[in-house]
Amino acid sequence: MMKKIVNIVCYACLMLLATSCYTRRAVGLLQERNSLPEYDRGVYQEYRLRKNDELTLRIISANQESVRMFGGIQNGGMSSNNNMVYRIYEDGTIDIPFLNRIPLEGMTLEEAETFLTGQLKPYIPDVQVKLALSTSTFCVIGDAGRGYFNIYKERLTIYQALALCGGVNESGDIGHVKIVRETNEGTKIVSFDLRSKSLIDSEYYYIYPNDIIYVDVTPKRFWAVNSYSGFLGVITSSLSLLLTVWNLVVTYQ
């Protein structure tokens, strides 16, 4: 009887130790193994303007009076304080002084710059238009660094985005990362395994404005240890449990 109890306790301790460590397979990135999903290479799609996006518009011209007419100020032939912010209304347009509502929804920034240049040419023949997205941010929630962060460059990758927020906690489930993304067809939720090397250049690789990155908590969080001292603590606790059971068995025999 005593031997049976000791065996049960030993098996329980071994199972606890086996499930209480974060292995490289569980937390390592850029892995190549058959058990991980394979993602097809995707084509990067430039962001297309949406309702409620805010645009910073910069008008450049040697004609100071014309620039001022549209809200900009110029000194010495060089643009200095002629940045204006416009929001895309629910009808997909922006409202620039002295112009009709200008539809920009669905265009890329480059397409919108070309279109606005054509709209302003009759008034400012040498006009140059520069556009930037003021609301170019993404959000991170879950078991990672949380908050809103700026997309500081074009083609920001998922790895760079998570680095900006401080990275994923060791207890984060990087095998089932989700992105909530607004598209013209509605809200889309994609899920992917961050450990797979094939994620690079796939449709999940790049972050777009207004993306929400969600990292769930791994089921192993309750048992897992993430340091050497924690591992020793698990062993010590297991041995203490074994000795306690042993003493009880010996006492009541």
Side-chain angles (χ1 to χ4, degrees):
M1 179 65 180
M2 180 178 64
K3 184 178 180 181
K4 183 176 181 181
I5 294 176
V6 171
N7 289 336
I8 292 174
V9 173
C10 290
Y11 289 142
C13 292
L14 289 174
M15 290 180 63
L16 177 62
L17 292 175
T19 59
S20 62
C21 298
Y22 291 114
T23 64
R24 182 189 177 279
R25 287 186 165 226
V27 300
L29 302 178
L30 303 177
Q31 297 184 44
E32 295 181 274
R33 51 189 174 93
N34 295 332
S35 59
L36 293 177
E38 284 287 329
Y39 299 110
D40 296 330
R41 183 176 293 270
V43 178
Y44 177 76
Q45 302 289 335
E46 290 190 52
Y47 179 75
R48 295 193 173 272
L49 300 175
R50 300 175 53 80
K51 297 180 181 69
N52 297 315
D53 279 345
E54 289 187 354
L55 298 171
T56 300
L57 169 63
R58 184 185 181 196
I59 299 175
I60 304 172
S61 172
N63 190 327
Q64 182 178 355
E65 294 301 322
S66 297
V67 172
R68 182 180 289 114
M69 180 179 71
F70 290 100
I73 300 174
Q74 215 177 13
N75 292 321
M78 297 297 292
S79 175
S80 61
N81 188 30
N82 57 342
N83 291 351
M84 296 151 283
V85 177
Y86 294 97
R87 183 172 66 87
I88 299 179
Y89 295 118
E90 289 299 319
D91 61 357
T93 67
I94 64 173
D95 188 8
I96 296 180
F98 303 105
L99 296 177
N100 294 325
R101 289 286 189 93
I102 300 176
L104 294 183
E105 183 185 12
M107 296 184 184
T108 65
L109 284 176
E110 185 177 352
E111 292 170 347
E113 284 180 348
T114 302
F115 185 72
L116 282 172
T117 299
Q119 297 293 308
L120 291 169
K121 278 282 187 183
Y123 307 95
I124 314 176
D126 66 339
V127 68
Q128 293 184 45
V129 173
K130 298 296 181 182
L131 280 177
L133 191 62
S134 302
T135 52
S136 187
T137 61
F138 67 94
C139 173
V140 180
I141 57 176
D143 202 20
R146 304 170 187 172
Y148 282 90
F149 304 89
N150 290 321
I151 299 178
Y152 65 92
K153 69 169 189 173
E154 189 178 7
R155 301 197 183 192
L156 185 75
T157 71
I158 180 65
Y159 298 120
Q160 292 167 334
L162 291 173
L164 279 177
C165 75
V168 179
N169 299 331
E170 287 191 338
S171 55
D173 187 1
I174 62 174
H176 300 89
V177 177
K178 294 181 176 64
I179 290 181
V180 182
R181 178 170 295 164
E182 296 293 332
T183 68
N184 292 331
E185 292 75 33
T187 302
K188 180 181 179 182
I189 301 177
V190 297
S191 180
F192 53 89
D193 194 324
L194 201 62
R195 299 170 299 176
S196 176
K197 185 178 180 180
S198 66
L199 184 67
I200 295 178
D201 290 330
S202 71
E203 63 173 311
Y204 313 111
Y205 190 51
Y206 296 104
I207 299 301
Y208 289 87
N210 305 315
D211 275 357
I212 300 174
I213 304 173
Y214 173 64
V215 182
D216 203 353
V217 179
T218 178
K220 293 177 62 174
R221 181 177 182 179
F222 180 78
W223 300 103
V225 294
N226 52 21
S227 66
Y228 181 70
S229 59
F231 183 71
L232 288 178
V234 171
I235 294 178
T236 303
S237 300
S238 302
L239 291 176
S240 298
L241 176 62
L242 178 60
L243 291 174
T244 301
V245 173
W246 177 277
N247 290 332
L248 288 174
V249 171
V250 171
T251 301
Y252 291 100
Q253 268 188 336

